mmCIF file of all heavy atoms in Angstrom:
data_model
loop_
_atom_site.group_PDB
_atom_site.id
_atom_site.type_symbol
_atom_site.label_atom_id
_atom_site.label_comp_id
_atom_site.label_asym_id
_atom_site.label_seq_id
_atom_site.Cartn_x
_atom_site.Cartn_y
_atom_site.Cartn_z
ATOM 1 N N LEU A 36 84.654 82.202 71.931
ATOM 2 C CA LEU A 36 85.261 81.409 73.009
ATOM 3 C C LEU A 36 84.755 81.784 74.399
ATOM 4 O O LEU A 36 84.983 81.047 75.361
ATOM 5 C CB LEU A 36 86.787 81.547 72.977
ATOM 6 C CG LEU A 36 87.554 80.676 71.990
ATOM 7 C CD1 LEU A 36 89.049 80.887 72.144
ATOM 8 C CD2 LEU A 36 87.220 79.205 72.168
ATOM 9 N N LYS A 37 84.105 82.959 74.502
ATOM 10 C CA LYS A 37 83.589 83.449 75.784
ATOM 11 C C LYS A 37 84.638 83.363 76.909
ATOM 12 O O LYS A 37 84.433 82.695 77.935
ATOM 13 C CB LYS A 37 82.353 82.621 76.202
ATOM 14 C CG LYS A 37 81.197 82.671 75.228
ATOM 15 C CD LYS A 37 80.549 84.030 75.223
ATOM 16 C CE LYS A 37 79.325 84.068 74.301
ATOM 17 N NZ LYS A 37 78.765 85.408 74.155
ATOM 18 N N PRO A 38 85.817 84.020 76.731
ATOM 19 C CA PRO A 38 86.865 83.916 77.745
ATOM 20 C C PRO A 38 86.472 84.460 79.114
ATOM 21 O O PRO A 38 87.071 84.083 80.119
ATOM 22 C CB PRO A 38 88.022 84.744 77.142
ATOM 23 C CG PRO A 38 87.365 85.666 76.172
ATOM 24 C CD PRO A 38 86.208 84.901 75.612
ATOM 25 N N GLU A 39 85.467 85.361 79.151
ATOM 26 C CA GLU A 39 85.008 85.860 80.449
ATOM 27 C C GLU A 39 84.427 84.734 81.301
ATOM 28 O O GLU A 39 84.300 84.876 82.526
ATOM 29 C CB GLU A 39 83.977 86.980 80.260
ATOM 30 C CG GLU A 39 82.676 86.562 79.604
ATOM 31 C CD GLU A 39 82.704 86.593 78.083
ATOM 32 O OE1 GLU A 39 83.799 86.616 77.511
ATOM 33 O OE2 GLU A 39 81.606 86.594 77.482
ATOM 34 N N ILE A 40 84.091 83.601 80.653
ATOM 35 C CA ILE A 40 83.602 82.417 81.368
ATOM 36 C C ILE A 40 84.638 81.290 81.297
ATOM 37 O O ILE A 40 85.056 80.745 82.311
ATOM 38 C CB ILE A 40 82.258 81.923 80.783
ATOM 39 C CG1 ILE A 40 81.183 83.009 80.946
ATOM 40 C CG2 ILE A 40 81.819 80.625 81.469
ATOM 41 C CD1 ILE A 40 79.872 82.681 80.256
ATOM 42 N N THR A 41 85.068 80.950 80.062
ATOM 43 C CA THR A 41 85.967 79.811 79.866
ATOM 44 C C THR A 41 87.341 80.015 80.487
ATOM 45 O O THR A 41 87.960 79.056 80.960
ATOM 46 C CB THR A 41 86.127 79.501 78.368
ATOM 47 O OG1 THR A 41 86.606 80.677 77.694
ATOM 48 C CG2 THR A 41 84.805 79.075 77.755
ATOM 49 N N VAL A 42 87.835 81.255 80.481
ATOM 50 C CA VAL A 42 89.151 81.527 81.058
ATOM 51 C C VAL A 42 89.034 81.988 82.501
ATOM 52 O O VAL A 42 89.650 81.421 83.411
ATOM 53 C CB VAL A 42 89.927 82.581 80.224
ATOM 54 C CG1 VAL A 42 91.219 82.975 80.934
ATOM 55 C CG2 VAL A 42 90.239 82.034 78.844
ATOM 56 N N SER A 43 88.222 83.029 82.732
ATOM 57 C CA SER A 43 88.121 83.614 84.072
ATOM 58 C C SER A 43 87.602 82.637 85.118
ATOM 59 O O SER A 43 87.978 82.717 86.295
ATOM 60 C CB SER A 43 87.206 84.847 84.038
ATOM 61 O OG SER A 43 87.744 85.835 83.197
ATOM 62 N N TYR A 44 86.759 81.712 84.706
ATOM 63 C CA TYR A 44 86.184 80.773 85.671
ATOM 64 C C TYR A 44 86.625 79.330 85.420
ATOM 65 O O TYR A 44 87.255 78.711 86.280
ATOM 66 C CB TYR A 44 84.650 80.866 85.647
ATOM 67 C CG TYR A 44 84.135 82.140 86.262
ATOM 68 C CD1 TYR A 44 83.896 83.271 85.474
ATOM 69 C CD2 TYR A 44 83.906 82.242 87.626
ATOM 70 C CE1 TYR A 44 83.442 84.459 86.041
ATOM 71 C CE2 TYR A 44 83.458 83.417 88.209
ATOM 72 C CZ TYR A 44 83.228 84.524 87.405
ATOM 73 O OH TYR A 44 82.785 85.694 87.974
ATOM 74 N N ILE A 45 86.316 78.789 84.220
ATOM 75 C CA ILE A 45 86.581 77.367 83.962
ATOM 76 C C ILE A 45 88.081 77.062 83.946
ATOM 77 O O ILE A 45 88.546 76.116 84.601
ATOM 78 C CB ILE A 45 85.927 76.930 82.634
ATOM 79 C CG1 ILE A 45 84.407 77.085 82.724
ATOM 80 C CG2 ILE A 45 86.298 75.481 82.316
ATOM 81 C CD1 ILE A 45 83.667 76.784 81.434
ATOM 82 N N ALA A 46 88.864 77.886 83.206
ATOM 83 C CA ALA A 46 90.308 77.627 83.113
ATOM 84 C C ALA A 46 90.990 77.790 84.467
ATOM 85 O O ALA A 46 91.819 76.967 84.861
ATOM 86 C CB ALA A 46 90.940 78.559 82.075
ATOM 87 N N VAL A 47 90.634 78.870 85.179
ATOM 88 C CA VAL A 47 91.247 79.105 86.492
ATOM 89 C C VAL A 47 90.855 77.997 87.464
ATOM 90 O O VAL A 47 91.696 77.487 88.224
ATOM 91 C CB VAL A 47 90.832 80.488 87.047
ATOM 92 C CG1 VAL A 47 91.345 80.664 88.476
ATOM 93 C CG2 VAL A 47 91.374 81.604 86.165
ATOM 94 N N ALA A 48 89.591 77.593 87.447
ATOM 95 C CA ALA A 48 89.143 76.501 88.320
ATOM 96 C C ALA A 48 89.871 75.199 87.969
ATOM 97 O O ALA A 48 90.237 74.424 88.863
ATOM 98 C CB ALA A 48 87.627 76.313 88.195
ATOM 99 N N THR A 49 90.111 74.973 86.677
ATOM 100 C CA THR A 49 90.839 73.783 86.225
ATOM 101 C C THR A 49 92.260 73.782 86.771
ATOM 102 O O THR A 49 92.777 72.745 87.213
ATOM 103 C CB THR A 49 90.884 73.720 84.688
ATOM 104 O OG1 THR A 49 89.549 73.667 84.176
ATOM 105 C CG2 THR A 49 91.659 72.498 84.205
ATOM 106 N N ILE A 50 92.894 74.963 86.743
ATOM 107 C CA ILE A 50 94.259 75.094 87.251
ATOM 108 C C ILE A 50 94.327 74.654 88.714
ATOM 109 O O ILE A 50 95.198 73.865 89.107
ATOM 110 C CB ILE A 50 94.743 76.562 87.145
ATOM 111 C CG1 ILE A 50 94.916 76.953 85.683
ATOM 112 C CG2 ILE A 50 96.059 76.755 87.906
ATOM 113 C CD1 ILE A 50 95.074 78.456 85.482
ATOM 114 N N PHE A 51 93.391 75.133 89.526
ATOM 115 C CA PHE A 51 93.457 74.856 90.956
ATOM 116 C C PHE A 51 92.921 73.468 91.318
ATOM 117 O O PHE A 51 93.344 72.876 92.313
ATOM 118 C CB PHE A 51 92.758 75.972 91.734
ATOM 119 C CG PHE A 51 93.531 77.259 91.691
ATOM 120 C CD1 PHE A 51 93.183 78.275 90.819
ATOM 121 C CD2 PHE A 51 94.650 77.429 92.482
ATOM 122 C CE1 PHE A 51 93.917 79.444 90.741
ATOM 123 C CE2 PHE A 51 95.397 78.595 92.423
ATOM 124 C CZ PHE A 51 95.041 79.607 91.553
ATOM 125 N N PHE A 52 92.007 72.935 90.514
ATOM 126 C CA PHE A 52 91.596 71.535 90.703
ATOM 127 C C PHE A 52 92.779 70.630 90.381
ATOM 128 O O PHE A 52 93.061 69.661 91.099
ATOM 129 C CB PHE A 52 90.414 71.202 89.793
ATOM 130 C CG PHE A 52 90.006 69.757 89.843
ATOM 131 C CD1 PHE A 52 89.357 69.248 90.952
ATOM 132 C CD2 PHE A 52 90.295 68.903 88.778
ATOM 133 C CE1 PHE A 52 88.986 67.898 91.015
ATOM 134 C CE2 PHE A 52 89.933 67.566 88.828
ATOM 135 C CZ PHE A 52 89.279 67.063 89.944
ATOM 136 N N ASN A 53 93.487 70.970 89.306
ATOM 137 C CA ASN A 53 94.691 70.249 88.898
ATOM 138 C C ASN A 53 95.737 70.288 90.018
ATOM 139 O O ASN A 53 96.371 69.285 90.337
ATOM 140 C CB ASN A 53 95.240 70.905 87.619
ATOM 141 C CG ASN A 53 96.346 70.096 86.973
ATOM 142 O OD1 ASN A 53 96.449 68.897 87.194
ATOM 143 N ND2 ASN A 53 97.183 70.749 86.186
ATOM 144 N N SER A 54 95.881 71.475 90.629
ATOM 145 C CA SER A 54 96.832 71.626 91.734
ATOM 146 C C SER A 54 96.403 70.799 92.942
ATOM 147 O O SER A 54 97.232 70.179 93.617
ATOM 148 C CB SER A 54 96.941 73.096 92.141
ATOM 149 O OG SER A 54 97.479 73.876 91.091
ATOM 150 N N VAL A 118 95.842 85.413 89.967
ATOM 151 C CA VAL A 118 95.656 84.103 90.600
ATOM 152 C C VAL A 118 95.880 82.949 89.634
ATOM 153 O O VAL A 118 95.739 81.796 90.013
ATOM 154 C CB VAL A 118 94.224 83.967 91.194
ATOM 155 C CG1 VAL A 118 94.032 84.918 92.351
ATOM 156 C CG2 VAL A 118 93.162 84.167 90.130
ATOM 157 N N SER A 119 96.231 83.234 88.386
ATOM 158 C CA SER A 119 96.386 82.140 87.423
ATOM 159 C C SER A 119 97.796 82.026 86.866
ATOM 160 O O SER A 119 98.465 81.009 87.071
ATOM 161 C CB SER A 119 95.387 82.305 86.275
ATOM 162 O OG SER A 119 95.501 83.598 85.687
ATOM 163 N N SER A 120 98.285 83.063 86.175
ATOM 164 C CA SER A 120 99.555 82.935 85.451
ATOM 165 C C SER A 120 100.737 82.625 86.368
ATOM 166 O O SER A 120 101.599 81.808 86.036
ATOM 167 C CB SER A 120 99.837 84.195 84.639
ATOM 168 O OG SER A 120 99.938 85.342 85.460
ATOM 169 N N VAL A 122 100.773 81.020 89.158
ATOM 170 C CA VAL A 122 100.668 79.631 89.618
ATOM 171 C C VAL A 122 101.049 78.669 88.489
ATOM 172 O O VAL A 122 101.812 77.713 88.698
ATOM 173 C CB VAL A 122 99.244 79.322 90.124
ATOM 174 C CG1 VAL A 122 99.106 77.834 90.456
ATOM 175 C CG2 VAL A 122 98.925 80.165 91.347
ATOM 176 N N ILE A 123 100.538 78.918 87.280
ATOM 177 C CA ILE A 123 100.823 78.034 86.146
ATOM 178 C C ILE A 123 102.309 78.008 85.836
ATOM 179 O O ILE A 123 102.904 76.953 85.607
ATOM 180 C CB ILE A 123 100.050 78.478 84.893
ATOM 181 C CG1 ILE A 123 98.555 78.313 85.107
ATOM 182 C CG2 ILE A 123 100.461 77.655 83.684
ATOM 183 C CD1 ILE A 123 97.722 78.770 83.932
ATOM 184 N N GLN A 160 84.444 85.343 93.795
ATOM 185 C CA GLN A 160 85.147 84.815 92.631
ATOM 186 C C GLN A 160 86.381 84.025 93.050
ATOM 187 O O GLN A 160 86.646 82.932 92.525
ATOM 188 C CB GLN A 160 85.550 85.941 91.677
ATOM 189 C CG GLN A 160 86.196 85.406 90.381
ATOM 190 C CD GLN A 160 86.423 86.491 89.349
ATOM 191 O OE1 GLN A 160 86.047 87.643 89.537
ATOM 192 N NE2 GLN A 160 87.067 86.124 88.254
ATOM 193 N N MET A 163 85.201 80.674 94.618
ATOM 194 C CA MET A 163 84.654 79.696 93.674
ATOM 195 C C MET A 163 85.688 79.178 92.678
ATOM 196 O O MET A 163 85.590 78.034 92.218
ATOM 197 C CB MET A 163 83.472 80.297 92.914
ATOM 198 C CG MET A 163 82.258 80.581 93.792
ATOM 199 S SD MET A 163 81.688 79.112 94.715
ATOM 200 C CE MET A 163 81.205 78.025 93.379
ATOM 201 N N THR A 164 86.673 80.019 92.305
ATOM 202 C CA THR A 164 87.638 79.596 91.289
ATOM 203 C C THR A 164 88.965 79.101 91.861
ATOM 204 O O THR A 164 89.739 78.454 91.152
ATOM 205 C CB THR A 164 87.934 80.745 90.294
ATOM 206 O OG1 THR A 164 88.472 81.866 91.025
ATOM 207 C CG2 THR A 164 86.686 81.165 89.558
ATOM 208 N N VAL A 165 89.224 79.385 93.133
ATOM 209 C CA VAL A 165 90.499 78.971 93.733
ATOM 210 C C VAL A 165 90.277 77.978 94.880
ATOM 211 O O VAL A 165 90.749 76.844 94.830
ATOM 212 C CB VAL A 165 91.300 80.202 94.250
ATOM 213 C CG1 VAL A 165 92.574 79.740 94.951
ATOM 214 C CG2 VAL A 165 91.639 81.143 93.110
ATOM 215 N N PRO A 168 87.765 74.577 93.974
ATOM 216 C CA PRO A 168 88.432 73.559 93.138
ATOM 217 C C PRO A 168 89.628 72.908 93.829
ATOM 218 O O PRO A 168 89.871 71.712 93.663
ATOM 219 C CB PRO A 168 88.876 74.346 91.902
ATOM 220 C CG PRO A 168 87.991 75.533 91.859
ATOM 221 C CD PRO A 168 87.734 75.887 93.290
ATOM 222 N N ILE A 193 98.681 69.575 81.073
ATOM 223 C CA ILE A 193 97.379 70.227 81.249
ATOM 224 C C ILE A 193 97.582 71.707 81.574
ATOM 225 O O ILE A 193 96.935 72.582 80.995
ATOM 226 C CB ILE A 193 96.571 69.537 82.375
ATOM 227 C CG1 ILE A 193 96.212 68.109 81.961
ATOM 228 C CG2 ILE A 193 95.296 70.331 82.678
ATOM 229 C CD1 ILE A 193 95.611 67.272 83.076
ATOM 230 N N SER A 194 98.501 71.990 82.497
ATOM 231 C CA SER A 194 98.787 73.380 82.871
ATOM 232 C C SER A 194 99.324 74.172 81.688
ATOM 233 O O SER A 194 98.965 75.330 81.485
ATOM 234 C CB SER A 194 99.791 73.420 84.025
ATOM 235 O OG SER A 194 99.231 72.863 85.180
ATOM 236 N N SER A 195 100.195 73.550 80.888
ATOM 237 C CA SER A 195 100.749 74.228 79.707
ATOM 238 C C SER A 195 99.653 74.546 78.697
ATOM 239 O O SER A 195 99.660 75.620 78.083
ATOM 240 C CB SER A 195 101.819 73.346 79.048
ATOM 241 O OG SER A 195 102.916 73.159 79.907
ATOM 242 N N SER A 196 98.710 73.626 78.532
ATOM 243 C CA SER A 196 97.599 73.858 77.602
ATOM 244 C C SER A 196 96.722 75.016 78.061
ATOM 245 O O SER A 196 96.310 75.861 77.263
ATOM 246 C CB SER A 196 96.749 72.581 77.475
ATOM 247 O OG SER A 196 97.513 71.513 76.979
ATOM 248 N N VAL A 197 96.451 75.056 79.361
ATOM 249 C CA VAL A 197 95.654 76.159 79.915
ATOM 250 C C VAL A 197 96.406 77.481 79.748
ATOM 251 O O VAL A 197 95.810 78.505 79.403
ATOM 252 C CB VAL A 197 95.330 75.912 81.406
ATOM 253 C CG1 VAL A 197 94.626 77.123 82.002
ATOM 254 C CG2 VAL A 197 94.446 74.676 81.562
ATOM 255 N N LEU A 198 97.730 77.449 79.957
ATOM 256 C CA LEU A 198 98.534 78.657 79.799
ATOM 257 C C LEU A 198 98.486 79.163 78.356
ATOM 258 O O LEU A 198 98.365 80.371 78.114
ATOM 259 C CB LEU A 198 99.981 78.386 80.214
ATOM 260 C CG LEU A 198 100.958 79.562 80.077
ATOM 261 C CD1 LEU A 198 100.475 80.764 80.873
ATOM 262 C CD2 LEU A 198 102.351 79.149 80.531
ATOM 263 N N LEU A 199 98.554 78.253 77.390
ATOM 264 C CA LEU A 199 98.477 78.647 75.981
ATOM 265 C C LEU A 199 97.119 79.278 75.662
ATOM 266 O O LEU A 199 97.031 80.239 74.892
ATOM 267 C CB LEU A 199 98.719 77.434 75.072
ATOM 268 C CG LEU A 199 100.154 76.907 75.011
ATOM 269 C CD1 LEU A 199 100.223 75.638 74.178
ATOM 270 C CD2 LEU A 199 101.097 77.968 74.441
ATOM 271 N N MET A 200 96.070 78.751 76.279
ATOM 272 C CA MET A 200 94.734 79.328 76.089
ATOM 273 C C MET A 200 94.675 80.746 76.665
ATOM 274 O O MET A 200 94.098 81.660 76.054
ATOM 275 C CB MET A 200 93.685 78.444 76.768
ATOM 276 C CG MET A 200 92.254 78.928 76.566
ATOM 277 S SD MET A 200 91.057 77.837 77.372
ATOM 278 C CE MET A 200 89.532 78.687 76.984
ATOM 279 N N ILE A 201 95.290 80.928 77.838
ATOM 280 C CA ILE A 201 95.321 82.258 78.458
ATOM 281 C C ILE A 201 96.121 83.231 77.599
ATOM 282 O O ILE A 201 95.730 84.382 77.397
ATOM 283 C CB ILE A 201 95.917 82.168 79.887
ATOM 284 C CG1 ILE A 201 94.949 81.416 80.809
ATOM 285 C CG2 ILE A 201 96.200 83.562 80.446
ATOM 286 C CD1 ILE A 201 95.504 81.143 82.193
ATOM 287 N N ILE A 202 97.269 82.760 77.066
ATOM 288 C CA ILE A 202 98.088 83.599 76.185
ATOM 289 C C ILE A 202 97.285 84.020 74.957
ATOM 290 O O ILE A 202 97.272 85.186 74.563
ATOM 291 C CB ILE A 202 99.371 82.853 75.753
ATOM 292 C CG1 ILE A 202 100.306 82.685 76.944
ATOM 293 C CG2 ILE A 202 100.085 83.599 74.621
ATOM 294 C CD1 ILE A 202 101.510 81.794 76.658
ATOM 295 N N THR A 204 93.900 84.167 74.452
ATOM 296 C CA THR A 204 92.801 85.100 74.717
ATOM 297 C C THR A 204 93.315 86.463 75.191
ATOM 298 O O THR A 204 92.718 87.495 74.889
ATOM 299 C CB THR A 204 91.837 84.517 75.775
ATOM 300 O OG1 THR A 204 92.573 84.159 76.955
ATOM 301 C CG2 THR A 204 91.134 83.273 75.233
#
Side-chain angles (χ1 to χ4, degrees):
L36 278 183
K37 300 290 183 187
E39 65 273 18
I40 298 173
T41 57
V42 173
S43 298
Y44 288 92
I45 298 176
V47 174
T49 300
I50 292 167
F51 290 100
F52 175 72
N53 190 22
S54 296
V118 293
S119 54
S120 61
V122 174
I123 294 178
Q160 185 172 356
M163 293 305 297
T164 60
V165 176
I193 294 171
S194 295
S195 296
S196 299
V197 174
L198 179 57
L199 288 175
M200 183 179 179
I201 291 174
I202 291 172
T204 54

